[in-house]
Amino acid sequence: MTTLLKRSILSRSYGDRFVAALFQGFAIASGAIVLLIILFLLRESYPILHRVGVLRFFRDPSWHPTSGEFGAMPMLWGSLLVTLGSVLIATPLGILSAIFCQYYAPPRLAPLYRRLIELLAGIPSVVYGLWGLVVLVPLVRRIQPPGTSLLTGIWVLALMILPTIMLVADASLANVPAAYLRGAAALGLSRWAIVRGVAIPTAQAGLMTGILLAIGRAIGETMAVLMVCGNVVQVPDSLFDPVRTLTANIALEMAYAMNEHRSALFVSGLILTGLIAILVTIGEWVNRGQMYD
Amino acid sequence: MIKQRPRSRRSSFGEPLMQGLLWSSVLLITGAFMWLCSDIVRHGFRQLSWDFLTQLPRDTGRSGGIGPILVSTGLIIGVCLGVSIPLGVGTAVFLNEFSAPQRWLSQFLGISLDILAGVPSIVFGLFGNAFFCKTLGLGFSILSGGLTLACMVLPILIRSTQAGLQSVPNDYRLSAAALGVSRSAVLWQVLLPAAMPGLVVGLLLGIGRAIAETAALLFTSGYVDRMPTSLMDSGRALSVHIYDLAVNVAGGEQNAYGTALVLVLLLMMINGSVSWLGKRFQQTRILDV
Amino acid sequence: MTLISSSSTQKSGVAPAALHTEKLTMQYARKVAFRDVTLSVPAGQITALIGPSGCGKTSFLNCLNRLTELTPNTQTTGTVLLDGQNIQAMELIQLRRRVGMLFQKPNPFPLSIYRNLEFPLQEHGIGQRDRVAQIIEINLRRVGLWEEVKDRLKSPALALSGGQQQRLCLARTLALNPEVLLMDEPCSALDPISSEVVEALIDRLRGDYTVLVVTHNLAQARRIADRVALFWMEDTVGKLIESGSGQELFESPQHPLTQAYISGKRG
Amino acid sequence: MKSSVSLTHALKVTIAIASLSFGLMACGNSGNSSNATPAATKKLVLTGSSTIAPLASELAKRYESQHADVRIDVQSGGSSRGIVDARQGSADIGMVSRSLKPDEKDLQSFTIAQDGVAIILNKTNGIADLSNEQIVGIYTKKITNWKEVGGKDAPITVVNKAEGRSTLELFASYFKLETKEIKADSVIGENEQAIKLVAGNPDAIAYVSIGTAEYEANQSAAIKLLPMRGIEASTANILNGQFPLSRPLNLVTKTTPMGLSKEFIDFAQSKANDDIVKAQYFVPFVR
């Protein structure tokens, strides 16, 4: 489809000009929100960054903002470990589910299973958190106290991000041209060989996008991890140790934080946004690759 | 040809293995989700009653109902949609119909929307607290919460509306131009109705995200569980109520489950009715008018 | 609704206008579509543009109602005169109302049959219900669609067959009372029977409208065209090779390329 | 040409951002004023200590029931928020669950009740008493199993409060601990969360407001309060001044309270409302 230079369709009528100007205004307002967010994060974190500098946030041994220690590294580790664990679990399960739906499931089962996953995608994170707190935490505590731990966090998050990976993968597998599959089948390849050799490579960029989205969701998730992770600021030694993520840190302390402490929490927010910016860049890069292929 | 032989042999070995792997992972996931859902339904269903939906929470939520919380949630979502729909649809229409993709404004908007879509909700909470509550002086209020959520759902709304508009064939735009029909008329008469499925999907996703949101509301719309009398009052959303009951109230699990069930049912109902309305709207536009 | 007499199905009002291009050149970002086309399209006659694919006929047509301006990075030089008036100086909406267009692929709006005609009319300031209804009936009759659709005017236009859709598009264009009609291979996407119906319709427009039709179908050009213009690709650039009355061009072509093309040896 | 185009766009962007912010501000202001005008409703905002918040809410409800034209909003957010909000004027009254520090003497404080901080354990925990040294040992992870202090063989789950809570400050200063010396297994925000966690975990230990703990224990939460230096953690012992870890619950204002603020503070301190204080398991202010 050719792109149209749509501005040129504009007539000189008053209505067209008004609508165009109005919508341009809306568009600029929408674009300004990101700038406003960054501006306010910077403005609010400026006092502490100005006084102690950025490096202290990565070098201080721990997080005691009221007594002047601002080490955010344990929480960065917390965020990364919880994310890594949940993505490692959810990715194979999600992609296998999508392959199941597209290529293996009996025709009546596939839409049912998809509907189930869609339903789960819609369950709010605080409900996952509630369930994790009431059901999983006591369960893990029986193995090793205190129960609120990295493991519980990974478990809950994996369930939460699985639908994202599954649904995106499902959609991109559905977009694989049927001709490719027919062609491969005509060569006498087995179903799994077709999936592995044709479908997955073709849908690769889509699968990657799904995983990236899931990573973004996992890093940004607050309530569920706040409720099940224990929130102790430490680099965990085992899966059963409690951890605190950057997001939980904000949610936990924001209500009580004053002055520099509050400012330090906005730095947490900045670090989080930085992580997301990195992810978005990777995502762009993946999509570019897809375009040039 | 020679190369293919070992491959096919390997895959014939892999086939049953894969079948097993696939079915077991599907069973695992279904099992986990059944566990979650049955828990919510089992514990939550006992709490559901007309009184639960209408009464004030008593004893910090342990007993009593969720009346004011439902009202606050509705108001927050109302503010959110009232701001985000015009802004989102307007932006999408501008990007797709009035602006060339090469223009810097479009490119800037594209990038900033990608970032906005990825920003964690807790960061929206920080921003909302600093901007709406403090700088604009709205305080902990339903208005602050709704505006914060509006910023959050905006990228979803814009992207889906754009997708909807993109799916409208250029033929319509061309023939409209050849007939000398004004741009805005084509927009209202043809493009937006044709893009309605996309818009509806965006709306669904947006409402879904907004109503499920907790972190962004903790420091913007606040904790107060009383019946709100104006948009400037603090109001507790359903999800915040669940959080509070689950974490801060000993013996609050039952009502937490009840509220969770209400929230999930509400989400499903909204999804169903919006998609039904969207379909109907599109049909009437195309057929009757 | 009162039956409208067959005489009123004939066009009334605005007279057809002549179209003239002078050294018209159009180029895309990297490629010149056609160069230095000087062509007169006499009022009230049917002129056929023939020639092999990709020689700039469609681009030429799109220049005449400034539809090319919708494509990014295009540039047009030269002049187009509608009834002696430079179209660049005209108001765009007005120009497109006076110069109607029919596309290769039928493209009715995803609205009802009735609404497809009503909506552009309203946009051009014709809002009285009775008047609109009258215009719609007249034009649906002119394209022979009235009897077929009068009982289901509110059903979606997209449910019509391809040929019906194309006639609907023609009715939609005619309803705006244009002076010139541009047609870009209007029959090529249709089945032979529909194609025949549409061709017959075009034939009947003679005298009331100035018609400029792009066609690959030489037989069709021979059947309906008063005048014929042959486009050809020279060094990747479209050129007007020869133009003249249909009879002249088909019976005694001047240019060797024309001879070769109409005899089927090239193209 | 090109630069002028982008210049106009830059201008447009600036104008749009400005108008957006102004529009929102106008929204906010009109919201404020419209809220203040109808039916001459008077509004009082209290923010601060989460320990005082439930008490203040109950007081506010009774006050509202007696004064139909008044609406009192209580937002919890910690004692330091109470200080800051009162100082900045974003709240009419701050709630502070400790004595004012020397650098906070610019504010005026009014004690409305007394409270203490107690160590709580799960009801099923066999331990009946812990010495101060044992508590310090547990909270610094020198003692990690209940059998080391005479209990069953089970690892101790140490519950600590998040940075910024006044209960944490009080606890730490009483036991002469630096907040960074405390090693926890779980970090929580509110008193209620600590109670809930301990009630649900037989091996957990936490410290919370006595008032809240007694209230919850009476609501059948599975917790018990440990005595401190042999003195039972009860409101009675706070009242007679014997319990070592006690604190005043204060309302603070920036200036000498006037009008509604003064009326509400007087109301909160009045003997007629002691029943509310007692119902929240705090010790009424001794006049």
Side-chain angles (χ1 to χ4, degrees):
Chain A
M1 196 193 282
T2 55
T3 54
L4 294 181
L5 193 59
K6 287 151 187 163
R7 265 154 63 90
S8 316
I9 305 182
L10 276 185
S11 67
R12 297 214 187 116
S13 77
Y14 175 73
D16 267 12
R17 296 205 151 185
F18 174 74
V19 166
L22 184 72
F23 286 178
Q24 176 155 13
F26 282 170
I28 289 168
S30 306
I33 289 173
V34 163
L35 295 182
L36 267 182
I37 289 178
I38 294 170
L39 185 79
F40 268 82
L41 284 182
L42 286 175
R43 198 185 87 163
E44 296 287 322
S45 43
Y46 177 76
I48 193 77
L49 287 179
H50 180 68
R51 200 178 68 81
V52 309
V54 185
L55 283 177
R56 288 276 302 277
F57 281 86
F58 297 97
R59 280 200 191 143
D60 278 4
S62 192
W63 173 262
H64 292 287
T66 46
S67 31
E69 278 192 28
F70 301 102
M73 277 314 274
M75 294 178 290
L76 189 58
W77 274 114
S79 283
L80 293 179
L81 286 174
V82 172
T83 303
L84 182 74
S86 58
V87 170
L88 280 183
I89 295 175
T91 301
L93 286 176
I95 291 180
L96 282 175
S97 293
I99 291 172
F100 175 79
C101 264
Q102 286 294 330
Y103 305 110
Y104 283 85
R108 279 207 202 142
L109 195 61
L112 268 179
Y113 185 63
R114 200 172 288 128
R115 183 56 58 84
L116 175 82
I117 302 279
E118 277 167 3
L119 181 72
L120 292 157
I123 291 182
S125 65
V126 70
V127 175
Y128 280 98
L130 168 68
W131 181 72
L133 189 65
V134 177
V135 176
L136 294 186
V137 168
L139 213 65
V140 175
R141 185 162 60 227
R142 250 185 258 165
I143 309 169
Q144 187 174 333
T148 47
S149 60
L150 177 59
L151 177 69
T152 336
I154 289 176
W155 193 339
V156 170
L157 261 191
L159 278 181
M160 280 183 64
I161 62 174
L162 199 147
T164 310
I165 298 181
M166 145 72 191
L167 292 174
V168 177
D170 186 58
S172 48
L173 285 176
N175 276 337
V176 172
Y180 293 7
L181 303 176
R182 272 202 302 274
L187 290 172
L189 297 181
S190 75
R191 193 148 36 152
W192 171 238
I194 296 171
V195 169
R196 196 190 37 169
V198 180
I200 293 180
T202 315
Q204 206 173 19
L207 301 184
M208 261 321 275
T209 308
I211 296 170
L212 286 174
L213 278 176
I215 294 177
R217 191 160 176 212
I219 289 183
E221 177 48 41
T222 310
M223 300 320 288
V225 290
L226 174 67
M227 291 162 88
V228 303
C229 281
N231 301 319
V232 178
V233 184
Q234 61 178 11
V235 182
D237 293 327
S238 84
L239 278 174
F240 294 98
D241 281 352
V243 291
R244 188 189 293 186
T245 63
L246 286 167
T247 50
N249 185 41
I250 300 173
L252 191 66
E253 297 191 352
M254 181 66 182
Y256 291 74
M258 285 296 129
N259 307 328
E260 284 200 340
H261 185 185
R262 178 181 152 93
S263 198
L265 291 179
F266 274 84
V267 178
S268 284
L270 265 185
I271 299 174
L272 265 175
T273 314
L275 285 179
I276 294 301
I278 294 172
L279 269 181
V280 170
T281 317
I282 297 176
E284 287 277 308
W285 179 67
V286 168
N287 279 328
R288 286 266 160 76
Q290 182 191 23
M291 252 161 27
Y292 292 135
D293 268 351
Chain B
M1 283 318 265
I2 297 164
K3 239 185 170 176
Q4 272 185 359
R5 242 189 214 152
R7 201 181 186 189
S8 67
R9 194 183 297 152
R10 205 172 66 198
S11 43
S12 67
F13 163 75
E15 192 69 36
L17 191 85
M18 279 322 293
Q19 290 266 10
L21 207 58
L22 282 166
W23 279 100
S24 51
S25 62
V26 166
L27 285 179
L28 183 74
I29 293 167
T30 313
F33 285 140
M34 285 301 165
W35 186 10
L36 170 72
C37 293
S38 66
D39 250 17
I40 295 169
V41 173
R42 202 156 39 92
H43 293 289
F45 197 71
R46 260 181 270 156
Q47 308 304 117
L48 282 196
S49 68
W50 180 247
D51 282 351
F52 182 70
L53 293 180
T54 51
Q55 286 194 344
L56 303 177
R58 275 194 312 274
D59 199 8
T60 58
R62 257 182 222 99
S63 56
I66 54 169
I69 288 145
L70 278 174
V71 173
S72 300
T73 309
L75 288 176
I76 292 171
I77 301 295
V79 170
C80 162
L81 293 183
V83 175
S84 61
I85 290 178
L87 209 57
V89 174
T91 304
V93 167
F94 172 77
L95 282 175
N96 259 51
E97 305 298 327
F98 289 107
S99 172
Q102 300 85 354
R103 284 181 69 203
W104 72 267
L105 181 59
S106 312
Q107 294 193 328
F108 163 73
L109 272 170
I111 295 168
S112 60
L113 286 178
D114 281 349
I115 297 175
L116 204 60
V119 170
S121 55
I122 188 81
V123 174
F124 280 102
L126 283 179
F127 164 71
N129 182 274
F131 184 60
F132 296 119
C133 300
K134 293 269 157 66
T135 307
L136 300 187
L138 302 182
F140 282 98
S141 64
I142 287 172
L143 198 58
S144 298
L147 289 173
T148 307
L149 289 190
C151 298
M152 213 174 86
V153 302
L154 203 56
I156 305 175
L157 214 56
I158 294 175
R159 287 304 187 206
S160 342
T161 310
Q162 272 190 292
L165 286 170
Q166 262 152 22
S167 71
V168 180
N170 262 345
D171 284 2
Y172 300 151
R173 300 183 178 92
L174 274 176
S175 55
L179 288 168
V181 169
S182 78
R183 197 74 185 131
S184 29
V186 188
L187 190 65
W188 302 126
Q189 300 286 342
V190 181
L191 297 181
L192 279 182
M196 194 46 72
L199 219 162
V200 168
V201 169
L203 214 53
L204 280 175
L205 294 174
I207 295 177
R209 189 158 178 207
I211 206 171
E213 184 49 45
T214 317
L217 291 178
L218 282 176
F219 326 121
T220 52
S221 64
Y223 261 75
V224 175
D225 60 359
R226 299 165 62 190
M227 189 61 85
T229 53
S230 86
L231 292 184
M232 291 306 292
D233 285 344
S234 165
R236 184 191 282 198
L238 280 171
S239 50
V240 176
H241 191 56
I242 297 171
Y243 170 69
D244 197 54
L245 284 178
V247 164
N248 290 333
V249 179
E253 283 90 355
Q254 286 309 313
N255 269 357
Y257 269 121
T259 315
L261 185 60
V262 170
L263 180 56
V264 172
L265 288 178
L266 208 60
L267 269 166
M268 287 163 70
M269 253 158 52
I270 291 172
N271 285 7
S273 56
V274 173
S275 64
W276 180 77
L277 278 176
K279 250 181 225 155
R280 245 199 89 104
F281 176 72
Q282 196 193 11
Q283 274 168 359
T284 50
R285 287 309 289 229
I286 290 179
L287 301 182
D288 303 346
V289 186
Chain C
M1 196 168 288
T2 54
L3 192 78
I4 290 164
S5 68
S6 64
S7 68
S8 68
T9 62
Q10 295 304 306
K11 185 191 167 179
S12 59
V14 191
L19 204 58
H20 180 76
T21 69
E22 189 68 44
K23 285 189 174 283
L24 192 64
T25 301
M26 194 201 96
Q27 56 189 48
Y28 296 100
R30 296 199 189 114
K31 183 182 171 295
V32 179
F34 58 85
R35 176 169 288 150
D36 289 339
V37 174
T38 301
L39 178 71
S40 283
V41 182
Q45 294 191 6
I46 297 176
T47 304
L49 291 185
I50 58 170
S53 306
C55 61
K57 302 188 297 293
T58 299
S59 301
F60 177 72
L61 217 56
N62 285 341
C63 278
L64 302 179
N65 62 352
R66 288 170 58 189
L67 216 53
T68 42
E69 290 175 17
L70 294 182
T71 316
N73 301 320
T74 55
Q75 210 187 334
T76 317
T77 53
T79 37
V80 181
L81 301 176
L82 176 65
D83 222 4
Q85 227 183 332
N86 189 339
I87 62 163
Q88 288 298 329
M90 290 168 64
E91 216 264 298
L92 197 56
I93 296 255
Q94 211 45 47
L95 168 72
R96 288 182 183 157
R97 189 180 170 182
R98 289 175 65 185
V99 181
M101 191 167 200
L102 201 58
F103 294 79
Q104 177 172 8
K105 210 175 123 237
N107 55 0
F109 295 122
L111 305 169
S112 70
I113 295 172
Y114 191 81
R115 188 81 186 126
N116 253 288
L117 277 88
E118 181 190 42
F119 160 49
L121 282 171
Q122 284 174 343
E123 268 302 300
H124 286 285
I126 302 166
Q128 303 152 278
R129 288 182 150 270
D130 297 351
R131 175 121 176 76
V132 169
Q134 199 184 7
I135 294 177
I136 290 175
E137 185 179 341
I138 292 171
N139 285 289
L140 284 177
R141 281 183 188 282
R142 293 174 71 187
V143 299
L145 209 55
W146 178 253
E147 292 301 325
E148 292 167 49
V149 301
K150 66 179 178 193
D151 299 325
R152 49 177 177 135
L153 288 171
K154 303 275 181 198
S155 60
L158 293 178
L160 295 173
S161 75
Q164 285 174 320
Q165 286 189 14
Q166 191 65 306
R167 281 187 282 153
L168 181 70
C169 289
L170 181 59
R172 185 174 70 179
T173 310
L174 293 180
L176 295 178
N177 222 351
E179 299 157 37
V180 179
L181 275 172
L182 307 175
M183 301 184 183
D184 188 1
E185 303 184 43
C187 303
S188 65
L190 307 179
D191 62 89
I193 297 181
S194 306
S195 171
E196 216 170 281
V197 174
V198 174
E199 188 186 310
L201 275 174
I202 299 172
D203 203 32
R204 290 229 304 272
L205 297 173
R206 194 191 317 274
D208 293 331
Y209 302 91
T210 308
V211 178
L212 189 58
V213 55
V214 169
T215 179
H216 276 118
N217 186 336
L218 284 180
Q220 186 180 59
R222 205 188 281 256
R223 285 196 295 274
I224 61 172
D226 301 309
R227 298 183 62 81
V228 178
L230 176 74
F231 273 60
W232 202 269
M233 184 87 110
E234 279 182 350
D235 309 326
T236 74
V237 175
K239 281 265 170 72
L240 174 64
I241 300 297
E242 186 174 357
S243 68
S245 77
Q247 207 171 5
E248 278 170 21
L249 204 113
F250 281 112
E251 316 264 297
S252 51
Q254 302 296 307
H255 201 283
L257 275 172
T258 318
Q259 287 173 6
Y261 185 67
I262 61 177
S263 63
K265 283 183 191 134
R266 291 189 64 174
Chain D
M1 181 66 192
K2 189 137 181 110
S3 70
S4 84
V5 167
S6 57
L7 202 69
T8 39
H9 274 296
L11 205 68
K12 276 183 199 165
V13 172
T14 327
I15 291 169
I17 292 173
S19 57
L20 173 78
S21 340
F22 279 121
L24 285 169
M25 256 183 263
C27 256
N29 291 339
S30 68
N32 275 333
S33 55
S34 71
N35 199 51
T37 39
T41 313
K42 284 181 283 184
K43 192 167 174 176
L44 194 66
V45 176
L46 279 76
T47 67
S49 161
S50 63
T51 308
I52 308 179
L55 170 63
S57 300
E58 290 303 317
L59 287 169
K61 272 182 200 162
R62 180 175 290 178
Y63 189 83
E64 283 175 354
S65 69
Q66 295 169 7
H67 304 79
D69 58 338
V70 176
R71 185 182 166 95
I72 302 174
D73 271 7
V74 181
Q75 293 278 354
S76 80
S79 296
S80 8
R81 156 148 297 157
I83 297 280
V84 172
D85 284 357
R87 220 177 237 159
Q88 290 177 345
S90 43
D92 302 296
I93 299 174
M95 302 178 285
V96 182
S97 55
R98 53 172 168 75
S99 306
L100 291 185
K101 293 175 185 169
D103 61 338
E104 293 163 355
K105 290 296 180 193
D106 54 319
L107 299 170
Q108 309 208 11
S109 76
F110 304 89
T111 305
I112 57 168
Q114 291 264 323
D115 181 32
V117 171
I119 304 290
I120 56 166
L121 300 178
N122 188 282
K123 223 169 189 167
T124 61
N125 196 317
I127 304 285
D129 197 359
L130 287 171
S131 70
N132 281 8
E133 293 68 37
Q134 284 173 326
I135 291 169
V136 170
I138 288 170
Y139 267 87
T140 50
K141 285 266 164 133
K142 289 185 189 96
I143 300 170
T144 57
N145 196 303
W146 285 114
K147 70 180 175 191
E148 294 172 56
V149 291
K152 59 177 172 169
D153 180 13
I156 303 173
T157 300
V158 179
V159 180
N160 191 24
K161 287 206 150 193
E163 287 272 312
R165 307 298 210 268
S166 65
T167 326
L168 166 63
E169 287 169 25
L170 196 69
F171 175 83
S173 74
Y174 175 78
F175 287 102
K176 307 215 164 37
L177 286 166
E178 290 271 336
T179 52
K180 53 181 124 172
E181 290 176 87
I182 297 175
K183 308 254 185 307
D185 296 309
S186 194
V187 177
I188 48 89
E190 321 278 331
N191 286 318
E192 289 84 354
Q193 195 180 351
I195 291 164
K196 179 158 189 178
L197 220 157
V198 173
N201 183 344
D203 304 317
I205 179 170
Y207 56 89
V208 292
S209 145
I210 290 183
T212 322
E214 278 197 0
Y215 177 80
E216 293 286 342
N218 268 47
Q219 300 281 331
S220 71
I223 54 162
K224 63 178 177 190
L225 285 76
L226 284 191
M228 195 82 75
R229 282 196 196 141
I231 298 162
E232 194 194 342
S234 69
T235 42
N237 283 335
I238 298 172
L239 185 62
N240 61 30
Q242 287 197 342
F243 192 76
L245 233 174
S246 77
R247 56 177 173 178
L249 303 183
N250 290 325
L251 297 183
V252 302
T253 55
K254 191 178 177 188
T255 53
T256 310
M258 311 245 286
L260 186 55
S261 298
K262 179 171 168 45
E263 277 172 39
F264 182 73
I265 291 173
D266 288 347
F267 179 83
Q269 286 184 321
S270 79
K271 212 165 182 60
N273 297 311
D274 280 356
D275 57 324
I276 296 181
V277 178
K278 283 179 186 154
Q280 296 290 323
Y281 294 86
F282 293 124
V283 177
F285 169 60
V286 186
R287 276 156 289 259

